[in-house]
Amino acid sequence: MSFRTLDGADVKGRRALVRVDFNVPMNDGAVSDGTRLRAALPTIDKLRVGGARVILLAHFDRPKGKRVDSMSLKPVVAPLAALIGAPVAFADDCVGPAAASAVAAMADGDVLLLENLRFHAGEEANDPAFAAALARNGDLYIDDAFSAAHRAHASTEGLARRLPAHAGEAMRRELAALEAALGSPKRPVLGVVGGSKVSTKLDLLKNLIEKLDALAIGGGMANTFLFAQGHEVGASYCEKELADTAREIMDLARDQNCELLLPIDIVVAERAAAGVAARTRDLDAVDDDERILDAGPKTVARLTAAMDAARTLIWNGPLGVFEIPPFDAATTAAARHAAALAMAGKLIAVAGGGDTVAALHHAGVTDDFTFVSTAGGAFLEWMEGKTLPGVAALQAANASVN
């Protein structure tokens, strides 16, 4: 991927508009999880050391183009300042006199957070006039919010076409990891895709099959494939109407020489609840009132063996109902095995998606994977092979100066 980074950029005295992801969890008006604030620190620190005037652009929640006091970014100021170790100024608008006045008061190395971009309808509409108003407060643009790169908004796409555009440190790390996973990976490449519905991951499955050497399917979506193969799934969640689609995906995998790894044994119970009696079953041994809630030990053993044979792993979605023990066993065992291989330098392990991050955190291995993306929708759309407007804008900006 070709895009400019901040390496070698002369930022001293320049107003740097930095798009960050500060759509953070809040509890009673206070930030309850600072993960996304910490993710922005490398870019902020690099710009401050270089003498830039750091102007942060972000959204919070969905105010739908109107000012909503409970969706202000002001609660972010104090925890961000604590992380930076320096004051953070705040402007109660992201354009207009309030923003211009706050920017004019900045000295080199200062940090300023502007109010919620989505208080203006022009942000999500990618309105040229709104993008131009944002651009008036900056000399260069840095996109450090991969999580918003799948949206063609004024702050993710419009600004990159109005100012010299660069990828921030978090964006650079994300794009490098994704390139290593699917762009030009070390082979063999293994994919793990889980979750409940085939219907939400059709594009993902079809794109991955064309790029992977092997693909393991787990979670509730695996039930649809088992049903399509003629297996009984009892009372399990299953999109039976998609059986033909599942068979088409299996045919595609065969045609593309992508080995499809479906469960060969399962863990069942009458309901997904803590303390229920869980039983391991072979396929076709599921009672009518039983639900498939996790992959069985034989399935896990085959998956970990596939990890041992792979050089690159890309993972999205749990293998079972990991939130409720004992149905977390397969996901936890597989995640820990992948993490151990990554820590030993034997596997490039990249994972992403909301449930995936939660599952890896549950397994205690989030920090042991090569890279874990918290981007959610952007990560999924990238895995589906879609063009991300924010990334495309950075590439276009780079091409225009070469």
Side-chain angles (χ1 to χ4, degrees):
M1 295 184 186
S2 57
F3 49 87
R4 284 183 294 181
T5 68
L6 290 171
D7 290 349
D10 180 10
V11 299
K12 184 172 178 56
R14 304 187 75 189
R15 301 170 301 164
L17 290 173
V18 188
R19 180 55 161 101
V20 292
D21 180 5
F22 285 174
N23 193 25
V24 295
M26 294 272 194
N27 187 12
D28 293 329
V31 176
S32 57
D33 184 342
T35 300
R36 289 178 171 174
L37 305 185
R38 290 189 291 273
L41 294 181
T43 295
I44 294 171
D45 291 344
K46 192 164 192 171
L47 288 167
R48 291 187 69 228
V49 168
R53 303 177 184 194
V54 186
I55 305 159
L56 304 174
L57 304 172
H59 77 273
F60 179 71
D61 213 329
R62 300 176 182 273
K64 300 185 182 301
K66 298 179 181 179
R67 181 174 288 271
V68 180
D69 289 344
S70 63
M71 297 180 188
S72 172
L73 281 167
K74 194 167 186 178
V76 170
V77 172
L80 180 62
L83 288 170
I84 294 173
V88 174
F90 182 74
D92 66 4
D93 204 348
C94 58
V95 292
S101 176
V103 170
M106 297 179 75
D108 295 355
D110 282 355
V111 180
L112 167 67
L113 175 63
L114 302 184
E115 183 57 284
N116 195 339
L117 291 159
R118 291 186 180 176
F119 283 179
H120 295 266
E123 162 64 1
E124 293 187 85
N126 197 10
D127 177 58
F130 182 67
L134 290 172
R136 279 195 284 273
N137 289 317
D139 302 306
L140 68 157
Y141 168 73
I142 298 98
D143 192 344
D144 211 29
F146 177 80
S147 57
H150 60 315
R151 303 294 186 225
H153 291 173
S155 67
T156 60
E157 202 271 347
L159 269 178
R161 302 187 184 280
R162 284 169 172 77
L163 295 172
H166 305 257
E169 297 300 288
M171 174 71 85
R172 168 161 66 174
R173 184 165 178 258
E174 184 102 32
L175 294 177
L178 300 185
E179 176 68 13
L182 281 186
S184 53
K186 294 181 179 179
R187 293 193 174 274
V189 186
L190 168 67
V192 175
V193 176
S196 60
K197 295 183 178 181
V198 175
S199 55
T200 61
K201 294 191 176 182
L202 288 175
D203 290 343
L204 170 63
L205 293 171
K206 291 174 182 177
N207 183 57
L208 288 181
I209 281 171
E210 296 180 355
K211 297 183 177 182
L212 301 177
D213 299 295
L215 173 61
I217 295 179
M221 63 190 302
N223 300 337
T224 302
F225 283 86
L226 295 177
F227 178 78
Q229 288 181 321
H231 298 293
E232 294 298 328
V233 296
S236 307
Y237 178 84
C238 179
E239 294 176 291
K240 295 181 179 180
E241 71 280 7
L242 292 179
D244 287 342
T245 301
R247 284 188 281 268
E248 290 173 5
I249 291 172
M250 289 187 277
D251 289 342
L252 178 62
R254 184 187 62 249
D255 294 343
Q256 295 292 328
N257 294 316
C258 176
E259 183 182 9
L260 204 59
L261 304 175
L262 294 171
I264 53 178
D265 63 340
I266 65 266
V267 175
V268 303
E270 282 76 21
R271 56 196 177 92
V276 301
R279 298 169 288 276
T280 299
R281 294 270 196 257
D282 290 329
L283 301 183
D284 291 325
V286 183
D287 293 339
D288 290 345
D289 61 344
E290 290 179 329
R291 299 173 60 192
I292 300 171
L293 299 172
D294 200 11
K298 293 178 184 177
T299 301
V300 174
R302 187 177 64 164
L303 177 55
T304 55
M307 291 177 180
D308 291 339
R311 297 289 305 282
T312 302
L313 168 71
I314 183 160
W315 188 334
N316 172 255
L319 303 177
V321 186
F322 74 94
E323 302 94 338
I324 305 173
F327 310 113
D328 59 342
T331 301
T332 297
R336 289 177 178 172
H337 191 84
L341 291 172
M343 291 291 286
K346 297 179 181 179
L347 183 71
I348 295 171
V350 176
D355 286 346
T356 314
V357 176
L360 297 184
H361 182 71
H362 176 79
V365 297
T366 308
D367 295 335
D368 298 336
F369 267 53
T370 309
F371 184 79
V372 177
S373 172
T374 58
F379 181 85
L380 283 175
E381 290 198 18
W382 171 82
M383 286 183 70
E384 291 169 358
K386 296 179 179 177
T387 298
L388 305 187
V391 175
L394 288 177
Q395 293 174 310
N398 180 66
S400 68
V401 297
N402 289 333

